[in-house]
Amino acid sequence: MSDPNKISEREVTDPAVYFNRRQFLQTGLLAASAVATGLAYRQLNPTSTGSVTTAPLAHLVTPAATTTVDNGFRATEPPTSFANITHYNNFYEFSTDKEAVAAASAKFDTKGWQVSVAGLVNHPRVFDLDDLLKISPPEERIYRMRCVEGWSMVVPWAGYSLSKLLALVEPLGSARYVAFESLLDPQRMPGQRGEVLNWPYVEGLRLDEAMHPLTLLASGLYGRALPPQDGAPLRLVTPWKYGFKGIKSIVKIKLVAEQPRTTWNEAAPNEYGFYANVNPEVDHPRWSQATEQPIGKSGRQPTLLFNGYAAQVGHLYAGLDLRANF
Ligand SMILES: Nc1nc2c(c(=O)[nH]1)N[C@H]1C(S)=C(S)[C@@H](COP(=O)(O)O)O[C@H]1N2
Ligand SMILES: [Mo]
């Protein structure tokens, strides 16, 4: 596999290039026109990438078509390598060892997956995954990702804004938060046989955060369906918040009136707040949040307020004490 950390900015927009540089060169003109038009990913992508064998996404809309650096949909930093994104994971349902998650989740079967969207909405509904994915074509969104532990990545996700799903079910005026729940199934998720966290993993957002265009319901990365270790088949991505808000393998979305409970806040309330906005000035009780280690790079870099998305999301927190509401 090519090393995406070394490829040019232009290539970053084309998932075909990510996977097989040699094949790209061999296919010559066809590939060049695929870059230009955003077509033909299917033909160009090999069917597997190392040990990861998820399918290429059809109808992927590339950033050039939909996004700008200004709206935050496209980070200018080169993406972290596919190998690192898929082999350095936090997913406690499978393992607490980041480098063991890939193998521990490799056989996770998402056949027949359904997502219930309910609570304070006009049109509650249980979606088959395919129907949910059809709501809007997947767009590539290249987001920075900052884990509360002090490391970071840049991930070319694919998905659509959660707001599109919420608009479809029509939240009632009384809905003020969105609660999310991951699958509970200790048979398929061996980490749930231990009590390291309260299962199922739960998360939540304020409704205005959930409606923000950056808030992504992700079904893929690097132009392919999400690998199990990254939250197959569907996970949340809120790039201005610490990574633990990005709940994986979602089965329930519920519109509610009160602030929902969240797994890490429950596990250690003094360490992990409900908001979890990335903030270099609000340290974790046990370590500084001023800098971060980008995975696959040498040397730490400064962490930015709202992970560099202040221009897009700062208004959501006008008047909020970010230290008290960490
Ligand atoms: N269900 C579930 N979702 C989860 C987690 C988890 O353990 N279980 N870990 C979170 C944390 S701490 C991070 S940093 C990100 C990691 O996502 P990645 O492995 O795709 O990089 O997933 C988040 N979502
Ligand atoms: Mo994390």
Side-chain angles (χ1 to χ4, degrees):
M1 189 190 347
S2 66
D3 179 1
N5 289 323
K6 296 212 177 78
I7 65 180
S8 76
E9 165 75 350
R10 182 163 177 269
E11 288 171 326
V12 160
T13 63
D14 180 26
V17 183
Y18 294 143
F19 288 98
N20 196 329
R21 173 102 191 143
R22 198 155 34 113
Q23 188 174 358
F24 175 73
L25 294 173
Q26 280 166 355
T27 40
L29 265 181
L30 169 64
S33 77
V35 171
T37 60
L39 297 173
Y41 292 138
R42 238 186 215 298
Q43 292 90 320
L44 290 167
N45 277 333
T47 51
S48 75
T49 303
S51 58
V52 179
T53 54
T54 60
L57 294 170
H59 315 299
L60 182 70
V61 179
T62 61
T66 54
T67 71
T68 65
V69 173
D70 283 356
N71 64 15
F73 288 6
R74 187 184 181 200
T76 53
E77 297 86 343
T80 304
S81 74
F82 185 78
N84 280 336
I85 292 173
T86 56
H87 291 83
Y88 191 82
N89 300 99
N90 272 330
F91 202 170
Y92 280 22
E93 283 88 335
F94 292 99
S95 174
T96 55
D97 173 352
K98 290 188 224 321
E99 283 158 84
V101 171
S105 64
K107 295 208 168 84
F108 183 55
D109 186 0
T110 62
K111 234 190 294 90
W113 198 271
Q114 293 186 318
V115 182
S116 134
V117 186
L120 303 172
V121 297
N122 274 321
H123 308 293
R125 182 170 156 192
V126 177
F127 289 88
D128 288 333
L129 183 69
D130 282 349
D131 293 332
L132 193 138
L133 296 183
K134 272 187 220 140
I135 291 170
S136 192
E139 299 167 29
E140 185 162 82
R141 303 275 188 91
I142 303 173
Y143 285 169
R144 290 179 291 277
M145 206 268 260
R146 169 65 154 83
C147 174
V148 74
E149 297 163 341
W151 52 268
S152 65
M153 294 191 182
V154 178
V155 184
W157 300 110
Y160 58 76
S161 293
L162 175 65
S163 63
K164 294 191 177 176
L165 170 62
L166 296 180
L168 200 75
V169 296
E170 294 179 11
L172 301 176
S174 51
R176 289 181 53 232
Y177 294 88
V178 185
F180 303 86
E181 205 173 297
S182 293
L183 180 68
L184 175 65
D185 187 347
Q187 295 302 315
R188 290 152 76 196
M189 295 179 143
Q192 290 180 337
R193 294 172 211 161
E195 282 168 17
V196 53
L197 290 172
N198 280 336
W199 308 114
Y201 195 100
V202 291
E203 258 303 336
L205 295 171
R206 248 176 25 196
L207 183 57
D208 59 344
E209 297 177 322
M211 292 296 291
H212 192 283
L214 279 174
T215 300
L216 189 69
L217 205 49
S219 54
L221 63 81
Y222 266 112
R224 297 176 166 271
L226 273 183
Q229 58 265 45
D230 293 287
L234 196 72
R235 58 94 58 84
L236 182 70
V237 184
T238 49
W240 70 98
K241 294 177 176 286
Y242 289 118
F244 68 82
K245 297 295 286 183
I247 182 173
K248 296 176 169 182
S249 304
I250 296 169
V251 292
K252 276 188 199 164
I253 299 176
K254 191 174 178 190
L255 284 282
V256 296
E258 306 296 331
Q259 183 175 303
R261 39 178 285 267
T262 58
T263 291
W264 278 104
N265 177 249
E266 223 162 48
N270 60 323
E271 300 190 9
Y272 310 103
F274 173 79
Y275 281 92
N277 290 318
V278 175
N279 191 334
E281 292 178 4
V282 178
D283 287 338
H284 186 278
R286 293 184 279 129
W287 58 84
S288 164
Q289 295 292 29
T291 64
E292 65 200 43
Q293 178 61 59
I295 300 302
K297 286 199 198 170
S298 62
R300 297 181 73 84
Q301 66 189 30
T303 288
L304 303 175
L305 178 63
F306 300 123
N307 205 24
Y309 298 96
Q312 291 82 22
V313 302
H315 67 276
L316 296 175
Y317 309 106
L320 189 75
D321 180 343
L322 296 177
R323 199 167 284 279
N325 299 281
F326 63 94

